[in-house]
Amino acid sequence: MKGKKIASSLMAVLMLAGVLTACTSKNNNNESSTSPTDSGKSETTANTGGVDTSKEAKLTYYLWGSEGVNNKAILGEINKKLKADLNASIEVKYIDWPDTATKYPLLFASGENFDMSHASPGAPVSYFTLASEGALVDITEMLDKVAPKLKAEIPATVWENTKYKGKIYGVPSLYSEYTPTGFAYRSDLLKKYGMEKISSIDDMVKYMDNVVANESFSPINGKAEDAQNMFRMLVDTTGMWLNAPGISLNELNLVTKSPEDFKTVFHPAYTQEFEDWAVKMREWADKGYWGKDVLSATMGGKENFRAGNSAGYLTHAQDWIGQYGADIKAQPESDPYFFTFAEANKKIKRKMGVDNSTVISTNSANPERALMVIEKFMTDESYYNLIQYGIEGKQYVIEDGIKKFPPGYNEKTDAGGFSAWSLRNDKFVVPSDTENPIRNSLFAEWDKVAIDDPYNGFSFDPSNVTTEIASISNVNSQLGIQLMLGKTSQEPKKAVAEYREQLKKAGIDKVIAEVQKQLAEFVPVN
């Protein structure tokens, strides 16, 4: 960063990356890079608010995921428009999914010169941490000057949720979504067993028992990453427990007992509920709910589901909705339903715009032009369609208001698109024939009962407990995962006792005290 180094909390994230579980989602199988357009003065320019656009700005945009086969062609079309409108072009660089935990923090800590990236409070390094460390451009005043249309497009309440100490450091998404964790399962098997739906853990057990008794495959044939989802099931189905900051949500993290008591945090390991859950996980493992090789397996539950080797998989709601078409294509009779763990206890949290934001690095040589580009993607439908869907007629067609693949589309040769979730805008979203049509009605129901995350706007600084968090992560990556998959060498209660002891030695009490100390003066921005 220009004349600055990001403080130790960013480096702390890098130290932890080796023991954290990387993001397990898959991006749409589409993306691209750029063929630079001719440099020189733009033939036409938009209202630039006094910004000098006579010199071409070549911008670098970091996104998660891998490059799709036709991304270069799509980006070529985007850059033709940017050249004409803003005398700019963008190059997209990719951080592949397995590398997000290490390369994303390094992007900011290394001092690399780039312009834009995705950011989120839940990313390997938090949006609010990046803002507090001086890694992001303050765009508060810049919005009025160079992106007034963008500022007007996003409601004031949404902008408010992006603020850190009263300043705006990122452009929030305008996309409505919910991402509670749950279990996607085959409705054809459900009906075969005389069941209507799964709405509780007891229902889930009944379904899985039927699978074990009647099918040649496991109910959940996944891999070690499912340990985190089992822990999420515990948290989401226990009272009003909510995830708390301090330990990565990709691990066995801290929680609070309720949204009202959010400044009191604890580790579930020291509760009776956790011990009972560990016993249950051993029972589930012994029953064969997942493979005996779950800790070393390389194929996940979703892949096994589509291959006909699993009766369900653990994921979040938006992934289940978006992957519905691919699930049906692979298993035409399956028509997967979804059991949302947090729904019964009314703990489904609203996704705030800040949860998916686009930020500008303080190392950017052209921050104003970068903001103007973001404005184009979020307020101009022609730009939006290119970055979100690709080239019409090649990556998609729209028929009767539904987005579909064109006739003759071949995923291996025609796919393209970007994981640009942060640039989404509800008013431009076109329903896809590959997503579950239940999305709108389901989200409308959740809108009525959803709660706000009490930690929205809180940025935990781990610099005082870096060593302790690294030690806790190591304990979680070993014994914690084994407990959640019923694979400890000891019987569960003894393994829980050992886990508690190891957490104590690792410094869990010091971390909890530090979290509560930093929360003392915090006021949610909801």
Side-chain angles (χ1 to χ4, degrees), residues 385-403:
N385 288 346
L386 281 167
I387 194 73
Q388 298 297 339
Y389 307 138
I391 300 171
E392 188 168 9
K394 294 185 177 180
Q395 279 73 50
Y396 75 99
V397 293
I398 297 176
E399 297 178 1
D400 299 323
I402 303 295
K403 181 170 65 70

PDB file of all heavy atoms in Angstrom, residues 385-403:
ATOM      1  N   ASN A 385     -25.130  -7.880 -17.836  1.00  0.00           N
ATOM      2  CA  ASN A 385     -25.351  -9.166 -18.500  1.00  0.00           C
ATOM      3  C   ASN A 385     -24.042  -9.820 -18.937  1.00  0.00           C
ATOM      4  O   ASN A 385     -23.885 -11.044 -18.852  1.00  0.00           O
ATOM      5  CB  ASN A 385     -26.276  -8.986 -19.705  1.00  0.00           C
ATOM      6  CG  ASN A 385     -27.708  -8.709 -19.293  1.00  0.00           C
ATOM      7  OD1 ASN A 385     -28.083  -8.890 -18.131  1.00  0.00           O
ATOM      8  ND2 ASN A 385     -28.526  -8.262 -20.237  1.00  0.00           N
ATOM      9  N   LEU A 386     -23.102  -9.012 -19.390  1.00  0.00           N
ATOM     10  CA  LEU A 386     -21.818  -9.567 -19.816  1.00  0.00           C
ATOM     11  C   LEU A 386     -21.037 -10.161 -18.648  1.00  0.00           C
ATOM     12  O   LEU A 386     -20.540 -11.282 -18.731  1.00  0.00           O
ATOM     13  CB  LEU A 386     -20.975  -8.487 -20.505  1.00  0.00           C
ATOM     14  CG  LEU A 386     -21.334  -8.171 -21.967  1.00  0.00           C
ATOM     15  CD1 LEU A 386     -20.652  -6.894 -22.419  1.00  0.00           C
ATOM     16  CD2 LEU A 386     -20.933  -9.339 -22.871  1.00  0.00           C
ATOM     17  N   ILE A 387     -20.927  -9.427 -17.549  1.00  0.00           N
ATOM     18  CA  ILE A 387     -20.119  -9.906 -16.426  1.00  0.00           C
ATOM     19  C   ILE A 387     -20.803 -11.049 -15.683  1.00  0.00           C
ATOM     20  O   ILE A 387     -20.155 -11.936 -15.133  1.00  0.00           O
ATOM     21  CB  ILE A 387     -19.776  -8.755 -15.452  1.00  0.00           C
ATOM     22  CG1 ILE A 387     -18.655  -9.156 -14.480  1.00  0.00           C
ATOM     23  CG2 ILE A 387     -21.001  -8.295 -14.669  1.00  0.00           C
ATOM     24  CD1 ILE A 387     -17.297  -9.226 -15.089  1.00  0.00           C
ATOM     25  N   GLN A 388     -22.154 -11.057 -15.687  1.00  0.00           N
ATOM     26  CA  GLN A 388     -22.882 -12.095 -14.945  1.00  0.00           C
ATOM     27  C   GLN A 388     -23.244 -13.303 -15.799  1.00  0.00           C
ATOM     28  O   GLN A 388     -23.235 -14.439 -15.299  1.00  0.00           O
ATOM     29  CB  GLN A 388     -24.159 -11.507 -14.333  1.00  0.00           C
ATOM     30  CG  GLN A 388     -23.934 -10.397 -13.332  1.00  0.00           C
ATOM     31  CD  GLN A 388     -23.160 -10.831 -12.092  1.00  0.00           C
ATOM     32  OE1 GLN A 388     -23.109 -12.010 -11.762  1.00  0.00           O
ATOM     33  NE2 GLN A 388     -22.563  -9.882 -11.399  1.00  0.00           N
ATOM     34  N   TYR A 389     -23.573 -13.088 -17.074  1.00  0.00           N
ATOM     35  CA  TYR A 389     -24.103 -14.183 -17.893  1.00  0.00           C
ATOM     36  C   TYR A 389     -23.238 -14.549 -19.094  1.00  0.00           C
ATOM     37  O   TYR A 389     -23.319 -15.675 -19.593  1.00  0.00           O
ATOM     38  CB  TYR A 389     -25.512 -13.828 -18.394  1.00  0.00           C
ATOM     39  CG  TYR A 389     -26.471 -13.416 -17.313  1.00  0.00           C
ATOM     40  CD1 TYR A 389     -27.340 -12.339 -17.492  1.00  0.00           C
ATOM     41  CD2 TYR A 389     -26.507 -14.097 -16.096  1.00  0.00           C
ATOM     42  CE1 TYR A 389     -28.226 -11.962 -16.505  1.00  0.00           C
ATOM     43  CE2 TYR A 389     -27.392 -13.718 -15.091  1.00  0.00           C
ATOM     44  CZ  TYR A 389     -28.249 -12.645 -15.301  1.00  0.00           C
ATOM     45  OH  TYR A 389     -29.124 -12.270 -14.313  1.00  0.00           O
ATOM     46  N   GLY A 390     -22.445 -13.595 -19.592  1.00  0.00           N
ATOM     47  CA  GLY A 390     -21.641 -13.870 -20.772  1.00  0.00           C
ATOM     48  C   GLY A 390     -22.192 -13.171 -22.005  1.00  0.00           C
ATOM     49  O   GLY A 390     -22.868 -12.144 -21.920  1.00  0.00           O
ATOM     50  N   ILE A 391     -21.902 -13.720 -23.170  1.00  0.00           N
ATOM     51  CA  ILE A 391     -22.345 -13.137 -24.439  1.00  0.00           C
ATOM     52  C   ILE A 391     -23.651 -13.792 -24.859  1.00  0.00           C
ATOM     53  O   ILE A 391     -23.739 -15.017 -24.971  1.00  0.00           O
ATOM     54  CB  ILE A 391     -21.273 -13.359 -25.525  1.00  0.00           C
ATOM     55  CG1 ILE A 391     -19.944 -12.696 -25.109  1.00  0.00           C
ATOM     56  CG2 ILE A 391     -21.743 -12.812 -26.873  1.00  0.00           C
ATOM     57  CD1 ILE A 391     -18.769 -13.054 -26.014  1.00  0.00           C
ATOM     58  N   GLU A 392     -24.648 -12.966 -25.097  1.00  0.00           N
ATOM     59  CA  GLU A 392     -25.959 -13.516 -25.475  1.00  0.00           C
ATOM     60  C   GLU A 392     -25.847 -14.251 -26.810  1.00  0.00           C
ATOM     61  O   GLU A 392     -25.229 -13.776 -27.758  1.00  0.00           O
ATOM     62  CB  GLU A 392     -26.998 -12.400 -25.590  1.00  0.00           C
ATOM     63  CG  GLU A 392     -28.410 -12.917 -25.780  1.00  0.00           C
ATOM     64  CD  GLU A 392     -29.477 -11.854 -25.606  1.00  0.00           C
ATOM     65  OE1 GLU A 392     -29.113 -10.655 -25.499  1.00  0.00           O
ATOM     66  OE2 GLU A 392     -30.666 -12.210 -25.585  1.00  0.00           O
ATOM     67  N   GLY A 393     -26.434 -15.440 -26.842  1.00  0.00           N
ATOM     68  CA  GLY A 393     -26.359 -16.276 -28.027  1.00  0.00           C
ATOM     69  C   GLY A 393     -25.224 -17.275 -27.977  1.00  0.00           C
ATOM     70  O   GLY A 393     -25.241 -18.275 -28.695  1.00  0.00           O
ATOM     71  N   LYS A 394     -24.243 -17.000 -27.103  1.00  0.00           N
ATOM     72  CA  LYS A 394     -23.112 -17.921 -26.958  1.00  0.00           C
ATOM     73  C   LYS A 394     -23.136 -18.625 -25.599  1.00  0.00           C
ATOM     74  O   LYS A 394     -23.038 -19.844 -25.527  1.00  0.00           O
ATOM     75  CB  LYS A 394     -21.788 -17.176 -27.158  1.00  0.00           C
ATOM     76  CG  LYS A 394     -21.606 -16.660 -28.576  1.00  0.00           C
ATOM     77  CD  LYS A 394     -20.230 -16.024 -28.779  1.00  0.00           C
ATOM     78  CE  LYS A 394     -20.045 -15.574 -30.222  1.00  0.00           C
ATOM     79  NZ  LYS A 394     -18.711 -14.948 -30.432  1.00  0.00           N
ATOM     80  N   GLN A 395     -23.233 -17.838 -24.528  1.00  0.00           N
ATOM     81  CA  GLN A 395     -23.328 -18.450 -23.198  1.00  0.00           C
ATOM     82  C   GLN A 395     -24.773 -18.562 -22.706  1.00  0.00           C
ATOM     83  O   GLN A 395     -25.060 -19.357 -21.819  1.00  0.00           O
ATOM     84  CB  GLN A 395     -22.520 -17.638 -22.160  1.00  0.00           C
ATOM     85  CG  GLN A 395     -21.038 -17.926 -22.161  1.00  0.00           C
ATOM     86  CD  GLN A 395     -20.326 -17.337 -23.362  1.00  0.00           C
ATOM     87  OE1 GLN A 395     -20.493 -16.158 -23.672  1.00  0.00           O
ATOM     88  NE2 GLN A 395     -19.530 -18.148 -24.040  1.00  0.00           N
ATOM     89  N   TYR A 396     -25.667 -17.767 -23.294  1.00  0.00           N
ATOM     90  CA  TYR A 396     -27.054 -17.809 -22.824  1.00  0.00           C
ATOM     91  C   TYR A 396     -28.006 -17.234 -23.864  1.00  0.00           C
ATOM     92  O   TYR A 396     -27.601 -16.482 -24.763  1.00  0.00           O
ATOM     93  CB  TYR A 396     -27.200 -17.030 -21.511  1.00  0.00           C
ATOM     94  CG  TYR A 396     -27.187 -15.515 -21.692  1.00  0.00           C
ATOM     95  CD1 TYR A 396     -28.383 -14.781 -21.719  1.00  0.00           C
ATOM     96  CD2 TYR A 396     -25.984 -14.817 -21.848  1.00  0.00           C
ATOM     97  CE1 TYR A 396     -28.362 -13.392 -21.884  1.00  0.00           C
ATOM     98  CE2 TYR A 396     -25.965 -13.449 -22.008  1.00  0.00           C
ATOM     99  CZ  TYR A 396     -27.154 -12.736 -22.032  1.00  0.00           C
ATOM    100  OH  TYR A 396     -27.155 -11.368 -22.206  1.00  0.00           O
ATOM    101  N   VAL A 397     -29.259 -17.606 -23.733  1.00  0.00           N
ATOM    102  CA  VAL A 397     -30.370 -16.965 -24.446  1.00  0.00           C
ATOM    103  C   VAL A 397     -31.472 -16.748 -23.417  1.00  0.00           C
ATOM    104  O   VAL A 397     -31.501 -17.410 -22.374  1.00  0.00           O
ATOM    105  CB  VAL A 397     -30.904 -17.824 -25.616  1.00  0.00           C
ATOM    106  CG1 VAL A 397     -29.862 -17.936 -26.718  1.00  0.00           C
ATOM    107  CG2 VAL A 397     -31.328 -19.196 -25.128  1.00  0.00           C
ATOM    108  N   ILE A 398     -32.360 -15.815 -23.698  1.00  0.00           N
ATOM    109  CA  ILE A 398     -33.492 -15.565 -22.809  1.00  0.00           C
ATOM    110  C   ILE A 398     -34.776 -15.866 -23.564  1.00  0.00           C
ATOM    111  O   ILE A 398     -35.046 -15.275 -24.614  1.00  0.00           O
ATOM    112  CB  ILE A 398     -33.490 -14.119 -22.291  1.00  0.00           C
ATOM    113  CG1 ILE A 398     -32.239 -13.861 -21.439  1.00  0.00           C
ATOM    114  CG2 ILE A 398     -34.750 -13.848 -21.457  1.00  0.00           C
ATOM    115  CD1 ILE A 398     -32.085 -12.436 -20.967  1.00  0.00           C
ATOM    116  N   GLU A 399     -35.549 -16.799 -23.023  1.00  0.00           N
ATOM    117  CA  GLU A 399     -36.829 -17.187 -23.626  1.00  0.00           C
ATOM    118  C   GLU A 399     -37.923 -17.084 -22.582  1.00  0.00           C
ATOM    119  O   GLU A 399     -37.830 -17.706 -21.515  1.00  0.00           O
ATOM    120  CB  GLU A 399     -36.752 -18.619 -24.163  1.00  0.00           C
ATOM    121  CG  GLU A 399     -35.731 -18.815 -25.277  1.00  0.00           C
ATOM    122  CD  GLU A 399     -35.653 -20.266 -25.738  1.00  0.00           C
ATOM    123  OE1 GLU A 399     -36.417 -21.088 -25.187  1.00  0.00           O
ATOM    124  OE2 GLU A 399     -34.827 -20.577 -26.616  1.00  0.00           O
ATOM    125  N   ASP A 400     -38.935 -16.266 -22.888  1.00  0.00           N
ATOM    126  CA  ASP A 400     -40.062 -16.064 -21.959  1.00  0.00           C
ATOM    127  C   ASP A 400     -39.576 -15.643 -20.571  1.00  0.00           C
ATOM    128  O   ASP A 400     -40.093 -16.072 -19.534  1.00  0.00           O
ATOM    129  CB  ASP A 400     -40.897 -17.343 -21.842  1.00  0.00           C
ATOM    130  CG  ASP A 400     -41.494 -17.774 -23.173  1.00  0.00           C
ATOM    131  OD1 ASP A 400     -41.882 -16.872 -23.940  1.00  0.00           O
ATOM    132  OD2 ASP A 400     -41.555 -18.982 -23.441  1.00  0.00           O
ATOM    133  N   GLY A 401     -38.536 -14.791 -20.564  1.00  0.00           N
ATOM    134  CA  GLY A 401     -38.043 -14.263 -19.303  1.00  0.00           C
ATOM    135  C   GLY A 401     -37.171 -15.216 -18.515  1.00  0.00           C
ATOM    136  O   GLY A 401     -36.808 -14.922 -17.372  1.00  0.00           O
ATOM    137  N   ILE A 402     -36.799 -16.351 -19.118  1.00  0.00           N
ATOM    138  CA  ILE A 402     -35.972 -17.347 -18.443  1.00  0.00           C
ATOM    139  C   ILE A 402     -34.642 -17.490 -19.189  1.00  0.00           C
ATOM    140  O   ILE A 402     -34.618 -17.622 -20.415  1.00  0.00           O
ATOM    141  CB  ILE A 402     -36.668 -18.723 -18.373  1.00  0.00           C
ATOM    142  CG1 ILE A 402     -38.019 -18.608 -17.659  1.00  0.00           C
ATOM    143  CG2 ILE A 402     -35.774 -19.742 -17.687  1.00  0.00           C
ATOM    144  CD1 ILE A 402     -37.935 -18.220 -16.205  1.00  0.00           C
ATOM    145  N   LYS A 403     -33.546 -17.471 -18.446  1.00  0.00           N
ATOM    146  CA  LYS A 403     -32.221 -17.633 -19.048  1.00  0.00           C
ATOM    147  C   LYS A 403     -31.924 -19.109 -19.240  1.00  0.00           C
ATOM    148  O   LYS A 403     -32.071 -19.916 -18.325  1.00  0.00           O
ATOM    149  CB  LYS A 403     -31.155 -16.982 -18.154  1.00  0.00           C
ATOM    150  CG  LYS A 403     -29.733 -17.064 -18.698  1.00  0.00           C
ATOM    151  CD  LYS A 403     -28.789 -16.193 -17.888  1.00  0.00           C
ATOM    152  CE  LYS A 403     -28.638 -16.692 -16.460  1.00  0.00           C
ATOM    153  NZ  LYS A 403     -27.899 -17.964 -16.375  1.00  0.00           N
TER     154      LYS A 403
END
